[in-house]
Amino acid sequence: DGKIKRYTLAIVHRQENTDNKDSVGSIIAALMEIGKECPVIFPLHPGTKKTLTDCNIDISSSNTILKAIPPVSYLDMLLLKKKASVILTDSGGVQKEAYFFKVPCVTLREETEWVETVDSKCNFIAGHSTEKILFEYNHSLHVNPSNFKVSVFGNGRACEKIVDLLKDMKRSDQ
C-alpha cells in the first residue's frame, strides 16, 4: 500500500509458552530487545497477562518500546496485522494471515501447521529462545516480497471447481 510500516506486532497466547515461566520470560526478553529498535505492539491475552503478573515479569523499561495493549476486536487485529512490519506469534492462524497480508512472521513455537509459509521463506520458526527469536526476527526484516506467492494455498478458484464437481455429480445421478 506504499505506507511505511513502523511497528512489530507480537501475539503470545499458547499455553506451551504462557504456562512456562522460562518460555514467557525468554519471549519477553526478545520483545524488549526488539523494542529498542522498533516499537512492539503487544495485545495482551488474559492468560499471558496472568502469567506475567504471577511471575513478576515487568515489561516496562525506559530504553524500550514494548506497548502492551488490551485485547482488540477481530477487525482491529486484522488492521494491526496488515500494517505491521513483522509479526511474532505462537498462533497458527496468525501465521497464515501474516502470509496473506505479505508480512514476514516469526513463529514462537518449535513447529507450525503452515509449512508452506516456512518453505517460501516468509515465516521463520524460532521457538522460545531469546537468541533464536532475535536471529529469526533480524532474518525476517530482509524477506523478499516476491516470496509471498498466493499459489502456495491455491489459485483462488476452489469455489468454481466445487461447483463444477457438484454439477458433474448431479449429472451422473440422473
Side-chain angles (χ1 to χ4, degrees):
D1 57 24
K3 294 187 179 179
I4 297 172
K5 298 176 181 179
R6 302 176 190 264
Y7 62 88
T8 296
L9 179 63
I11 302 162
V12 181
H13 67 84
R14 289 179 79 93
Q15 287 184 320
E16 67 192 66
N17 286 328
T18 61
D19 283 356
N20 182 314
K21 181 182 180 179
D22 293 335
S23 295
V24 78
S26 296
I27 291 168
I28 296 300
L31 297 180
M32 291 184 79
E33 191 64 31
I34 292 166
K36 291 178 182 178
E37 303 295 323
C38 176
V40 177
I41 297 177
F42 187 27
L44 208 46
H45 184 278
T48 308
K49 183 177 182 177
K50 181 181 182 331
T51 301
L52 295 176
T53 301
D54 291 350
C55 297
N56 294 316
I57 297 174
D58 182 12
I59 61 173
S60 62
S61 173
S62 60
N63 66 344
T64 187
I65 300 175
L66 176 54
K67 178 73 174 152
I69 63 173
V72 298
S73 72
Y74 178 71
L75 292 177
D76 287 341
M77 183 59 82
L78 286 177
L79 186 60
L80 284 172
K81 292 171 194 171
K82 182 179 180 178
K83 299 292 183 181
S85 54
V86 175
I87 297 173
L88 291 97
T89 188
D90 57 11
S91 169
V94 172
Q95 295 170 54
K96 194 170 184 184
E97 289 170 335
Y99 183 86
F100 287 129
F101 285 130
K102 298 178 173 39
V103 176
C105 184
V106 176
T107 297
L108 306 173
R109 294 170 54 199
E110 299 298 331
E111 61 186 4
T112 181
E113 302 84 358
W114 306 111
V115 293
E116 304 90 342
T117 63
V118 175
D119 292 345
S120 61
K121 297 179 177 56
C122 301
N123 184 3
F124 306 91
I125 305 295
H128 56 259
S129 155
T130 302
E131 295 76 21
K132 181 79 169 154
I133 294 168
L134 294 173
F135 176 83
E136 296 299 355
Y137 173 79
N138 286 322
H139 194 200
S140 75
L141 296 174
H142 306 288
V143 168
N144 184 332
S146 69
N147 291 2
F148 294 97
K149 299 178 190 106
V150 175
S151 62
V152 300
F153 292 112
N155 62 8
R157 305 188 73 89
C159 235
E160 293 170 20
K161 288 182 180 182
I162 292 168
V163 168
D164 289 343
L165 286 170
L166 291 172
K167 286 178 182 176
D168 290 345
M169 288 174 57
K170 186 173 181 181
R171 280 188 217 120
S172 66
D173 285 345
Q174 294 176 351

